[in-house]
Amino acid sequence: MFLDKKQQAEAVANKLRLREAIKDKSLVKREMIAGITGFFAISYIIIVNPIILKDAGIPTDLSVFATIISSLIGCLIMGFWANAPVILTPGMGVNAFFTYTVVVAMGLSWQEALGISIVSSVIYVLIAFTKLSEILAKGIPDTLKAGITAGIGLFLVEIGLEKAQLIQQGKNSILALGDMTKPATLLAIFGLLLTLFLFIRNVTGGFFIGILVTSVVGIVFGIKDQASPSVGIGDIAKYGEVFAKGDFSRILSVPFVLAVFSMTMILVFESMGLLEGIMPNPKKFKKAFQASSVTSLLSGILGTSPTVAAAESASAIESGGRTGLTSIVAGIMFALSMFFIPLLSYVPQAAISPVIIITGALMMNQLSRINMFDFSDWFPAFLIVVIIPFTTSISTGLAFGFVAYPILKIAAGRQNELTVPTYVLGALFLCDLILSALL
C-alpha cells in the first residue's frame, strides 16, 4: 500500500525506542505538537473531574492537584516505561461510578471509595503483570476490536458535538440541534472548518494550530466558557488532607466487595478496550496496559478516582504521535498547568471540539473491518458502537457486545469459533451487568 512521506515517517517512529526517537529533531517536533494537542484535548479533565468528585465530598481545590499530579505521573510512566503515545488521566465514567454509585447510592464515604479504588487497582496490576492480560487480550475477536475502536470514535464525536454545543438534550427527544446563533457554537463551526482544511491539506501540527487560532478568535470576541476552580499553587500545602486517605475498615463487607468487582471490571476492560482501539503499535500494548494499571493504583493513593487511558489520546495519535515523547510532553503540560489553572479558561470548549470530532470520525473507519454479511459477527460489534456513546460508558458498551457475541455464535451453531477466553469474558461481563443493576 502506498504511503505518503508523513505516513512513512510515522511508521518508522512507531518502531523506534525512546532514546532513538529523541535523536531525530523532526520527530521530536512532531511528537511535541502531538503531546500538546493531546493535552489540550483532555485538559477539561482538570476542571471537570474535581467538580464530579466534589459530590463525593472531596474538596475541589485539593482534587485539582490530585487530578494534575496523577495525570503527570501517569503520562511519564507511560512515556518512559511503555514508549506509547497514550495520555493517562482520571477517567470520565469511572469518576461518576466512584461518586454517584459508590458514595451517593451505596452510602460509603469518599475515603472508603478511595480504598475500593486502591484494592481494584491492585487486582488490575496483578492482571497486567501476568499472562492474564495476554490471554484476555487474545480473547477479543477481531470484529469486537473493530467495534470497540468505532464505538470510542462515535463517543468522541458525541463529546465533541456537545462541547461545540451543536447538539443538546432535546425537549421531546434524546438529542436535538443546538442553538446555531450562539457565539460559542459559531466559534466551534469556524474551528471545525479551519481544522478540517488544515487536516485535508496535511499541514504539520494542524490540530494544534486549529486549537490555537480558534482560542485567539474566542479571546478577541470574549467567548470564554470554562469555569475554573478558584485555586492557587499555595493551596497545595493542604494536599495532605486527601493524600493516602483510603479507608479499608470495611474491606470484607458486601458493599465493599461488590464495588471492588465492578470497579475492577471497569478499569481492566475499559483500559484494555481503549488501548486495543487506539494503539498505533499493538506490540506496545502490554507495557501500556501495565503503565495504566500502576498509575491507577497511584491515583487512589494520591486522592482521586482511578486513572485510565484517555480516549482523547487519539487526538495526539492523529497528530502524528507515535512514541513515548508524546505522553511525556503531555505530562509536562500537566505539570505546567498547576501554575496556570485559571488560564485554561481561555481555551474554550469550542476550540477543543473540532479536534475531538475529527479524531472520532477517523476512528470510525474501523467499521470497514466488520463483516456486515454475518449477523453473528456485526451485531455484537454494533451493540458496542451504539451503547458506548448512548450510555457514555465504554465498559457498558463492551459488556453488551461481549455477552452477545457467544450467545449469537451458539445460536448460529458455530461454537467452534469461540475460545475459552471468549466464554470467560462473556461470563464476567454478564456478572458485571447484573451487579451494576443491583448496586
Side-chain angles (χ1 to χ4, degrees):
M1 185 175 70
F2 176 76
L3 298 177
D4 59 29
K5 290 184 178 180
K6 178 183 176 184
Q7 291 171 326
Q8 290 174 354
E10 290 173 353
V12 171
N14 220 5
K15 301 175 183 178
L16 293 179
R17 295 180 179 179
L18 187 60
R19 63 178 65 182
E20 295 171 331
I22 295 174
K23 298 177 182 178
D24 188 331
K25 292 183 179 180
S26 62
L27 172 61
V28 170
K29 179 182 177 181
R30 189 172 66 246
E31 296 282 322
M32 287 181 66
I33 292 173
I36 295 171
T37 300
F39 166 77
F40 279 112
I42 191 60
S43 61
Y44 68 88
I45 199 69
I46 297 173
I47 311 299
V48 175
N49 191 56
I51 291 173
I52 291 176
L53 296 184
K54 179 182 178 182
D55 291 339
I58 301 179
T60 303
D61 54 344
L62 303 182
S63 186
V64 167
F65 292 116
T67 300
I68 291 174
I69 294 171
S70 60
S71 301
L72 162 63
I73 294 174
C75 288
L76 294 181
I77 292 175
M78 181 64 73
F80 286 109
W81 172 252
N83 189 26
V86 176
I87 298 171
L88 296 176
T89 63
M92 294 295 291
V94 69
N95 58 5
F97 177 83
F98 179 102
T99 297
Y100 301 112
T101 298
V102 177
V103 177
V104 177
M106 299 178 68
L108 299 176
S109 67
W110 64 265
Q111 291 90 343
E112 288 175 311
L114 287 176
I116 289 167
S117 173
I118 292 170
V119 173
S120 299
S121 298
V122 168
I123 298 172
Y124 182 10
V125 169
L126 292 175
I127 293 173
F129 282 85
T130 63
K131 289 186 177 181
L132 275 174
S133 62
E134 297 174 19
I135 293 172
L136 293 176
K138 290 178 180 178
I140 302 177
D142 289 340
T143 185
L144 295 188
K145 288 181 180 178
I148 291 167
T149 305
I152 294 170
L154 187 56
F155 183 31
L156 285 176
V157 171
E158 181 186 41
I159 291 173
L161 291 174
E162 286 179 345
K163 288 183 178 298
Q165 299 182 43
L166 283 167
I167 59 173
Q168 61 186 16
Q169 186 173 354
K171 294 180 180 179
N172 301 313
S173 60
I174 298 174
L175 293 174
L177 183 67
D179 185 351
M180 301 286 283
T181 64
K182 283 186 176 181
T185 306
L186 293 174
L187 179 63
I189 293 173
F190 163 77
L192 182 59
L193 292 174
L194 171 63
T195 309
L196 279 171
F197 177 82
L198 295 171
F199 177 76
I200 293 295
R201 297 297 293 262
N202 288 319
V203 174
T204 302
F207 282 179
F208 177 64
I209 294 172
I211 292 173
L212 184 62
V213 173
T214 307
S215 297
V216 171
V217 173
I219 292 171
V220 171
F221 287 95
I223 302 172
K224 180 181 176 183
D225 55 16
Q226 282 187 313
S228 297
S230 178
V231 58
I233 190 65
D235 293 323
I236 201 170
K238 300 183 293 182
Y239 182 54
E241 294 176 18
V242 297
F243 180 77
K245 295 297 182 181
D247 183 353
F248 305 94
S249 59
R250 293 203 287 167
I251 193 170
L252 298 179
S253 68
V254 173
F256 198 103
V257 173
L258 292 179
V260 164
F261 177 83
S262 292
M263 187 173 285
T264 301
M265 291 291 291
I266 293 172
L267 293 177
V268 171
F269 292 105
E270 182 166 327
S271 296
M272 182 175 288
L274 199 141
L275 290 172
E276 285 277 359
I278 67 172
M279 285 285 285
N281 185 350
K283 292 182 179 179
K284 296 181 180 180
F285 168 81
K286 186 172 179 63
K287 283 196 171 183
F289 194 56
Q290 291 171 347
S292 177
S293 70
V294 171
T295 309
S296 177
L297 175 59
L298 294 175
S299 66
I301 299 171
L302 291 168
T304 186
S305 55
T307 54
V308 296
E312 289 81 359
S313 300
S315 300
I317 293 169
E318 288 299 334
S319 295
R322 289 296 181 275
T323 74
L325 280 174
T326 295
S327 50
I328 292 170
V329 170
I332 293 171
M333 292 297 293
F334 273 111
L336 294 175
S337 71
M338 194 177 300
F339 301 93
F340 304 101
I341 294 170
L343 294 182
L344 289 176
S345 62
Y346 289 99
V347 181
Q349 307 256 24
I352 299 170
S353 58
V355 172
I356 297 176
I357 293 170
I358 295 170
T359 298
L362 290 170
M363 292 175 70
M364 290 193 69
N365 67 15
Q366 289 294 305
L367 289 172
S368 63
R369 294 177 50 202
I370 300 173
N371 182 8
M372 295 294 184
F373 298 98
D374 183 348
F375 190 82
S376 67
D377 255 11
W378 76 258
F379 187 73
F382 163 78
L383 287 178
I384 293 175
V385 172
V386 296
I387 290 177
I388 286 177
F390 287 169
T391 63
T392 66
S393 170
I394 294 173
S395 59
T396 301
L398 295 180
F400 276 90
F402 276 86
V403 171
Y405 187 81
I407 291 175
L408 290 184
K409 290 299 180 182
I410 292 172
R414 291 158 58 184
Q415 297 92 324
N416 61 308
E417 296 181 22
L418 299 172
T419 62
V420 173
T422 308
Y423 281 114
V424 172
L425 288 172
L428 286 173
F429 274 115
L430 180 60
C431 291
D432 183 48
L433 286 174
I434 293 172
L435 287 176
S436 296
L438 295 176
L439 289 177

